[in-house]
Amino acid sequence: MLRFPDRSTSIGSAINAYLANQSQLDDGAVHLLFVANRLEKRSEMLRLLASGTTLVLDRYSYSGVAYTAAKGVGHLPMDYLKSLETVLPAADLVLHMHMSAEATARRGGYGEERYEKLEFQQKVMSAFEALRDERWAVVDASGTIEAIAEQVAALAEPVVRAAREGAPLGRLWD
Ligand code: TMP
């Protein structure tokens, strides 16, 4: 399991300072830091996949594209954002853990980081909707852990099986 942003690297610590409102960065520049934070895990991900390991990623390029696109920065269109990460492996399955922005806002600790604002989260949600494709499944994340686990297992098991049986590894945004 890997999680993005990986805050343990030097790029990740710059991202962490930005998210904690301890630094200010241009939207385009911080986007590139999030991209670089994924690219620095590229060879490790490819090595693990080649050895038959199933990777579970907590956020990926989908969050990168959606969060930056949600800022409505005109000079950073989605196609440009996607083009920066086409050297990374595609996900076989994207599980969007969906909860309404209002329900998320009621969770403990919400509001501490930069993007944790209701209005912005609603824009992120619309951007995610624009990214949905045939690999994308929505999981109702408002239920119990058991109910969520059941949905995730039902969606993931056939995909993991297909990968074991030799389904080819694609490239992101192909
Ligand atoms: P986290 O809460 O899952 O640690 O994610 C940190 C925040 O960073 C969250 O608000 C989503 C945002 N984010 C981006 O803006 N771009 C990205 O590429 C990623 C992975 C996360």
Side-chain angles (χ1 to χ4, degrees), residues 100-169:
S100 71
E102 292 78 6
T104 312
R106 286 195 290 273
R107 284 189 166 177
Y110 186 87
E112 286 164 13
E113 286 205 328
R114 187 179 283 267
Y115 298 137
E116 296 178 344
K117 296 186 186 74
L118 203 56
E119 200 189 325
F120 183 67
Q121 285 298 320
Q122 278 156 348
K123 290 184 183 157
V124 172
M125 211 71 86
S126 307
F128 275 136
E129 266 154 36
L131 294 177
R132 283 187 192 179
D133 61 15
E134 68 285 351
R135 295 163 193 229
W136 188 286
V138 180
V139 171
D140 174 8
S142 65
T144 62
I145 289 176
E146 291 73 20
I148 296 169
E150 207 173 297
Q151 291 177 70
V152 168
L155 290 160
E157 274 161 13
V159 178
V160 172
R161 208 174 311 119
R164 287 217 182 98
E165 286 162 5
L169 180 63

Side-chain angles (χ1 to χ4, degrees), residues 3-5 7 19 34 38 58-60 63-65 67-68 113 115-116 121:
R3 117 173 253 195
F4 294 111
R7 303 185 194 216
L19 289 172
F34 277 108
R38 285 185 279 281
D58 178 357
R59 296 193 187 275
Y60 199 32
S63 288
V65 173
Y67 274 75
T68 300
E113 286 205 328
Y115 298 137
E116 296 178 344
Q121 285 298 320

Side-chain angles (χ1 to χ4, degrees), residues 50-78:
S51 72
T53 305
T54 298
L55 292 185
V56 178
L57 308 180
D58 178 357
R59 296 193 187 275
Y60 199 32
S61 179
Y62 306 90
S63 288
V65 173
Y67 274 75
T68 300
K71 292 178 175 179
V73 192
H75 60 289
L76 297 176
M78 270 193 177

Side-chain angles (χ1 to χ4, degrees), residues 14-35:
I15 292 171
N16 185 54
Y18 173 80
L19 289 172
N21 293 306
Q22 289 158 1
S23 69
Q24 304 305 323
L25 286 167
D26 174 82
D27 292 330
V30 76
H31 183 81
L32 292 178
L33 288 183
F34 277 108
V35 171

